[in-house]
Amino acid sequence: MTTTESRLPNPAVLVPELKDIGGALYRATGNGTIPQTTIGLVQLRAGQIAGNTYLTVLHTGNLRKAGATEQSITAVASWRDAPCFTDAERIALELVEAVLTPNPSGERVPDELYARASEQYDDRALATLIMAIGQVCFFLPLALIGKPLPGVSPAEQWRP
């Protein structure tokens, strides 16, 4: 079944404050402490975990614009055995998986994972990475419930 229309009209028109929130999140994650490619990898992985085509298409495009290689974009779903990621990127991908994946044996982000992340990122960079995960998670309900159309301009994503 092909969807030709989103479920919602443009949420930024319905709730104008969304533009301010989105802009603030974009500025917070774009503070230069984390490479845009790392942010894009994390957000692409979040879209994959959620099983959302809109987010995977959006963040794949953002990664291309940020200069990520096709190899790294393609390998995000199987990052653990892919040789193309840095240690810092691996920790970022591990963190987003930990946040979004239930852990039947306990805490999602154990002290050991946090310690390894702290080895790769200083406090400001780690806080920025956490905000990048939060940014995609903030918009996840809109993507899942509103079903914007993937791969089209923002003006065409939402039903009239």
Side-chain angles (χ1 to χ4, degrees):
M1 180 176 153
T2 303
T3 302
T4 59
E5 186 175 86
S6 69
R7 291 178 177 160
L8 279 176
N10 188 336
V13 173
L14 298 172
V15 182
E17 298 83 359
L18 187 58
K19 290 179 185 176
D20 295 333
I21 294 167
L25 287 169
Y26 182 78
R27 286 187 305 277
T29 59
N31 66 21
T33 61
I34 301 285
Q36 283 302 120
T37 52
T38 301
I39 290 170
L41 293 170
V42 162
Q43 294 181 338
L44 173 56
R45 187 66 188 125
Q48 291 172 339
I49 292 167
N52 186 264
T53 301
Y54 172 78
L55 289 175
T56 57
V57 169
L58 173 69
H59 294 299
T60 296
N62 289 346
L63 278 163
R64 286 188 179 113
K65 288 177 194 168
T69 66
E70 287 300 313
Q71 180 185 14
S72 67
I73 294 169
T74 303
V76 168
S78 58
W79 67 268
R80 289 182 188 274
D81 67 352
C84 56
F85 299 109
T86 66
D87 290 342
E89 290 168 336
R90 288 178 184 286
I91 285 294
L93 289 164
E94 190 172 352
L95 277 173
V96 72
E97 284 189 2
V99 168
L100 292 175
T101 307
N103 183 352
S105 61
E107 188 175 16
R108 289 190 188 200
V109 181
D111 290 342
E112 176 272 330
L113 175 54
Y114 182 83
R116 287 189 293 117
S118 294
E119 291 172 6
Q120 294 297 320
Y121 298 102
D122 65 24
D123 288 343
R124 184 167 186 233
L126 188 53
T128 301
L129 179 58
I130 292 165
M131 291 302 101
I133 295 169
Q135 180 182 32
V136 71
C137 289
F138 178 81
F139 288 104
L140 188 58
L142 274 176
L144 294 171
I145 299 167
K147 294 189 102 172
L149 300 179
V152 297
S153 73
E156 299 172 288
Q157 292 170 357
W158 302 101
R159 76 173 159 84

